Amino acid sequence: MKQQNESIKSLDTLFIKTYGCQMNEYDSARMADMMKQAYGLRLVAAPEEADVILMNTCSIREKAEDKVYSELGRYKKLKDKRPDMIIGVGGCVGQQEGERIQKRAPYVDIVFGPQSYHRLPEMVKEIRRHRVHVSQTDMPEIEKFDHLPKAESHGVTGCVTIMEGCDKFCTFCVVPYTRGPEISRSVESILEECRDQLAGGTVEISLLGQNVNAYRGPGPDGQEWDFTMLLYAVAELPGLKRLRFSTSHPMEMTSELCQAFAEIPQLMPYLHLPVQSGSDHVLKLMHRGHDRATYFRIIDELRAHCPDIALSSDFIVGYPGETDEDFEATLDLVRRVVYDSAYCFKYSPRPGTPASKSEDSVPEEVKDARLQRLLELTREQSRAAMQQQLGKRLEVLVEKAGRNAGDMEGRTADFKIIHFKGQMRQIGQLMPVTVTEAYGQSLRGELILAGD
Ligand code: 5AD
Ligand code: SF4
């Protein structure tokens, strides 16, 4: 039943534009659930069809604000025609820009940060009653998770946010300012959300957080649990076939956590472990809290426990003060570690960060050239990782229909996308597939059916 004031036009449809990380995807899904429960809003695929438009923004890298304002310009045209519609800007740009957004774009009704979206129904209600702008960017102490409704629909794979925020304060990064300090959910609330997803048919769960391995949450025994303890508990939940997590910080890769890759059969052999730079000088400037030797030690330990683990990382080139020699050290680190995939970025100053106070000293063309070289190297490694799969028989979780007729799409244990001819009824099952072709970003294979 819709709970709404009869005197106002009914709200029927919702469009959410999501930028950024998996955590934002998760948050958007929660927003959609909440707006459905509070107002009966139905998600639509185009802003033109929506009574409520929400933007869930990201400010981690360059030009995020510009993108938001240009997208808002598009929405303004819609609102000029239908003044009754509601426009909200949430996420990290909402947090960072706050009421500045409504000054620059007065047609925006609501601004909210990542920690206050559980108050959306309330904010919408205020707008509908008084037609005033509402801004909500404080960071409440209370757990927003306690105020969110249960997720309504479940896919084969699901995400559960276990902690938010970051206390690391890397000098280039806005996250500690936009998402706030590290806050961990209770073990019980995480397990409950996982159980709920598993009961709905999910078989793979990814535990999410800016720094998942900094997790320290209250356990059911009254003690503080760390991330590894939580992993073991989640792995034991009936029905769970695969477990993943993202993102981890090298500083909190404990020996117990490295060992978990050998000991927890559900924990898949894939790890995203950002290093940002291979130069001790730059790592220190970035305030990363570890040097390259420590990173190598962690990689060695992980591979000792799980020789087939696929690794990925984030890199920043052109950090202020990065010399040619520093950059060569990054290339050297990549050659030594050998990654399955990598995300490479040119440094850009983010508002309010310590690094933004020093001069952005590396010229743009030098940044471009370094990025190009790093991309060549990491792409070469990705291609090789794909080629190595040829002829292998891999266990694949069938996730959805592929783009081509008759094709199904799934993921290998180490997170590679694979397509093969299959059936819709195989969705959610683990099936053996022989790899027959390797492309840049995906594999192709043939299902091995019983009797083959
Ligand atoms: N400039 C470039 N890249 C950045 N990242 C974070 N802040 C910046 C910045 N100011 C990258 C880091 C991080 C990833 C999510 O985004 O590599 O790991
Ligand atoms: Fe940003 Fe560093 Fe925290 Fe990662 S660990 S979110 S890069 S401050």
Side-chain angles (χ1 to χ4, degrees), residues 222-443:
Q223 305 289 313
E224 190 179 78
W225 283 33
D226 70 9
F227 180 59
T228 309
M229 293 165 79
L230 177 71
L231 266 187
Y232 279 92
V234 174
E236 273 174 18
L237 294 174
L240 182 78
K241 293 182 184 166
R242 287 182 163 187
L243 181 56
R244 304 182 187 279
F245 59 84
S246 188
T247 295
S248 321
H249 193 288
M251 284 302 285
E252 261 131 348
M253 282 307 300
T254 59
S255 291
E256 292 76 21
L257 182 49
C258 294
Q259 207 175 339
F261 281 95
E263 289 187 355
I264 302 180
Q266 294 87 349
L267 185 58
M268 291 294 105
Y270 171 88
L271 181 67
H272 182 62
L273 193 64
V275 66
Q276 316 295 354
S277 167
S279 148
D280 280 342
H281 165 233
V282 175
L283 287 171
K284 205 170 200 162
L285 291 177
M286 287 176 164
H287 204 258
R288 287 289 291 174
H290 66 86
D291 55 13
R292 61 188 259 137
T294 308
Y295 190 79
F296 286 139
R297 263 200 305 279
I298 297 165
I299 302 295
D300 287 347
E301 193 167 358
L302 278 165
R303 288 195 164 133
H305 289 295
C306 184
D308 290 332
I309 195 163
L311 297 169
S312 79
S313 183
D314 292 342
F315 295 93
I316 296 178
V317 299
Y319 185 82
E322 185 189 65
T323 62
D324 282 341
E325 205 182 350
D326 292 322
F327 176 64
E328 290 299 330
T330 299
L331 294 177
D332 179 69
L333 178 140
V334 173
R335 284 190 204 103
R336 288 201 203 189
V337 173
V338 183
Y339 290 97
D340 243 55
S341 55
Y343 302 87
C344 310
F345 310 107
K346 283 192 284 183
Y347 169 76
S348 68
R350 307 308 301 133
T353 58
S356 69
K357 296 184 179 71
S358 6
E359 191 201 346
D360 185 6
S361 61
V362 179
E364 202 54 27
E365 49 296 0
V366 176
K367 283 186 192 167
D368 283 331
R370 288 180 187 166
L371 182 68
Q372 216 40 50
R373 282 186 68 200
L374 184 59
L375 283 174
E376 270 164 31
L377 176 60
T378 54
R379 282 182 186 151
E380 184 48 44
Q381 292 190 344
S382 302
R383 257 195 306 276
M386 288 295 192
Q387 292 288 329
Q388 279 162 21
Q389 309 305 314
L390 283 171
K392 282 192 189 167
R393 175 194 165 122
L394 302 176
E395 190 167 64
V396 170
L397 176 63
V398 188
E399 294 184 8
K400 57 186 175 196
R403 236 177 279 152
N404 300 329
D407 260 10
M408 300 304 291
E409 182 178 314
R411 292 234 187 212
T412 63
D414 63 1
F415 212 48
K416 296 182 176 66
I417 293 175
I418 185 159
H419 295 102
F420 49 90
K421 292 266 171 271
Q423 312 285 331
M424 289 300 277
R425 60 180 156 75
Q426 290 156 344
I427 290 177
Q429 291 182 38
L430 287 170
M431 314 270 310
V433 177
T434 304
V435 181
T436 54
E437 285 161 73
Y439 305 105
Q441 309 278 341
S442 67
L443 301 169

Side-chain angles (χ1 to χ4, degrees), residues 16-83:
I16 306 184
K17 172 95 183 165
T18 308
Y19 297 89
C21 61
Q22 273 181 309
M23 300 202 39
N24 266 13
E25 300 280 350
Y26 174 93
D27 287 346
S28 292
R30 296 283 78 72
M31 286 178 206
D33 291 338
M34 215 167 36
M35 297 298 266
K36 182 169 178 198
Q37 294 197 2
Y39 293 100
L41 291 190
R42 178 171 53 85
L43 262 187
V44 289
E48 290 75 16
E49 298 164 23
D51 300 321
V52 179
I53 296 180
L54 299 177
M55 292 178 84
N56 193 6
T57 61
C58 168
S59 60
I60 191 106
R61 284 180 297 273
E62 197 173 25
K63 304 207 173 84
E65 302 84 20
D66 298 353
K67 266 194 242 164
V68 170
Y69 284 115
S70 93
E71 186 75 10
L72 276 174
R74 227 181 116 197
Y75 301 158
K76 176 178 187 297
K77 292 199 188 105
L78 301 176
K79 193 157 177 169
D80 284 344
K81 280 189 232 146
R82 288 192 294 132

Side-chain angles (χ1 to χ4, degrees), residues 166-180:
C166 183
D167 293 344
K168 300 285 183 295
F169 291 93
C170 300
T171 50
F172 53 81
C173 186
V174 285
V175 167
Y177 312 97
T178 57
R179 289 251 173 198

Side-chain angles (χ1 to χ4, degrees), residues 177-195:
Y177 312 97
T178 57
R179 289 251 173 198
E182 286 168 1
I183 305 175
S184 297
R185 295 175 67 179
S186 73
V187 171
E188 203 32 66
S189 75
I190 293 167
L191 293 179
E192 194 186 311
E193 193 171 331
C194 291
R195 277 190 213 105

